[in-house]
Amino acid sequence: MSRVTPALRSLLRQPCTTSQWRKTPTLCSNSAWTNATYQSVRCLATPAAMPSAGKENIGVYCNPSHDLWVKESGPSVEEVKSGQALKEGEVTIAIKSTGICGSDIHFWRHGRIGPMIVEHDHILGHESAGEVIAVHPSVKNLKIGDRVAVEPSQICNKCEPCLTGQYNGCLEMRFMSTPPVDGLLRRYVNHSAVWCHKIGDMSYEDGAMLEPLSVSLAGMARAKIALGDPVLICGAGPIGLMTLLGCAAAGAEPIVITDIDQSRLDVAKEICPRVRTYKVEPRVSMEDAGAAISKLAGGNLKTALECSGVESSIAAAIYSVKFGGKVFVIGVGKPDINIPFMRLSTQEIDLQFQYRYANTWPRAIRLVQSGVIDMKRLVTHRFSLEDAVSAFETSAASAKTGAIKVLIQGEGMGM
């Protein structure tokens, strides 16, 4: 068995770099040094290699009473420094940027989304990126200092959806921030390394927004958006605007986007000057709205991507597409809604739905790193983790604040 020499013991007490640890095996007293031993010592050295793990861990919580607050969370800073809380295949991430999603607002204000119910104190957040600061000995694909975006899935790898590549339908899915699984809005998080995607020199803000971009890309792929397709996008919120960026990059033409908020339509026009905008008025019928949208698109709409989940918006989309068209619902709405069935039936319109995403993150990373998609304009507000309650209030009051994407920033992000 290898024996730790005084030189190695001394090194363990000193701040070190990754390059130093590549030389560490020479400090062992015999040649029986194994890779497992090396990795274990590297984990022991983690505290000296991660100065960002200095503050106590905190998280953003809600509960069934619709309270929202920030308090201590796990893993503790002691567990982060020691690496003892890491399970096989896991890394610890210092979260640097997290976006607030509409689902976070729903869990806080309404306590549920369909069957997913907040029953206890619950940590929010699933749109995050950060820095790897500790690595379990079993992890080979990541190292301390890697910048990663966190895909918030935890799957069984055994059921049919997992084995056929449709892991978003995992029968034992544990999705971060969906009750009862705590989310990523914390200072430090332990997560499976296979779901941590390297982002290189991409900003942490862009890394955090890869999650909602993945939602849009999944919808576009399943709706089969192609070059030259006429497309309607319903809703100019974060998902709708990201879908607009994606459809524009894919060469869809014409593109029409709708919303009840003129300021959001103005942003849509800013990020895609050729988009055609339609402001939804409250007293216009679904049939009339659909006819007006169809006329704006030249009367040949093939596909509608519905990004709001609102019943009236879905209906207007159904009335806007041509015979044989498709309405693809990306947005999340109420558990039960009414739809114009006979319009769907007599016009042979396909109505299709989406649940999260699968296998989208590498594509999203390529699109952002290459500059094909630029999401920076969508970030309207930034808050520190300690001021997360104000961040949520700003996001929830978007009609008054003008918020599109609100980001909560971790340590070292200029807050």
Side-chain angles (χ1 to χ4, degrees), residues 329-341:
V329 183
I330 298 175
V332 177
K334 295 179 180 178
D336 300 291
I337 63 170
N338 295 310
I339 58 172
F341 174 84

Side-chain angles (χ1 to χ4, degrees), residues 91-331:
V91 297
T92 301
I93 306 149
I95 299 296
K96 300 295 186 180
S97 188
T98 301
I100 296 178
C101 176
S103 64
D104 295 316
I105 302 296
H106 274 284
F107 285 134
W108 163 38
R109 288 196 154 182
H110 306 293
R112 67 184 299 163
I113 297 176
M116 298 166 281
I117 303 171
V118 176
E119 297 180 331
H120 309 283
D121 290 358
H122 178 65
I123 301 175
L124 298 165
H126 58 268
E127 303 176 3
S128 298
E131 178 187 0
V132 175
I133 59 172
V135 180
H136 188 274
S138 60
V139 174
K140 311 300 181 185
N141 63 316
L142 292 174
K143 64 181 184 302
I144 293 168
D146 280 343
R147 300 160 65 90
V148 297
V150 184
E151 184 170 352
S153 304
Q154 299 175 74
I155 65 173
C156 72
N157 271 316
K158 298 175 182 177
C159 66
E160 181 179 346
C162 286
L163 296 177
T164 56
Q166 298 175 300
Y167 61 80
N168 53 319
C170 175
L171 301 180
E172 298 180 25
M173 170 68 78
R174 291 174 55 80
F175 192 87
M176 309 289 281
S177 83
T178 296
V181 184
D182 282 333
L184 298 171
L185 260 174
R186 287 176 268 178
R187 188 168 278 142
Y188 318 115
V189 173
N190 293 340
H191 197 61
S192 296
V194 294
W195 300 113
C196 296
H197 302 275
K198 294 180 184 179
I199 59 174
D201 60 358
M202 181 190 300
S203 73
Y204 289 121
E205 290 192 354
D206 278 346
M209 291 193 290
L210 292 173
E211 199 279 341
L213 178 58
S214 283
V215 173
S216 296
L217 295 180
M220 289 178 59
R222 292 192 61 222
K224 296 180 170 59
I225 302 300
L227 189 71
D229 279 352
V231 173
L232 166 65
I233 299 168
C234 299
I239 296 295
L241 291 172
M242 289 188 183
T243 302
L244 171 60
L245 289 170
C247 287
E253 177 61 30
I255 307 173
V256 177
I257 191 167
T258 69
D259 204 273
I260 60 174
D261 187 337
Q262 183 60 49
S263 66
R264 291 197 168 191
L265 293 176
D266 292 341
V267 173
K269 198 74 174 176
E270 182 182 338
I271 64 175
C272 180
R274 64 183 173 88
V275 72
R276 306 175 189 185
T277 62
Y278 178 83
K279 187 174 186 293
V280 179
E281 300 295 345
R283 286 178 291 278
V284 176
S285 70
M286 297 175 293
E287 295 90 340
D288 288 346
I293 293 166
S294 178
K295 182 179 179 180
L296 184 61
N300 198 36
L301 274 172
K302 176 184 178 182
T303 306
L305 299 172
E306 208 298 314
C307 299
S308 73
V310 175
E311 180 179 306
S312 59
S313 181
I314 296 172
I318 292 170
Y319 280 106
S320 71
V321 298
K322 67 179 183 178
F323 184 93
K326 175 183 289 186
V327 174
F328 190 95
V329 183
I330 298 175

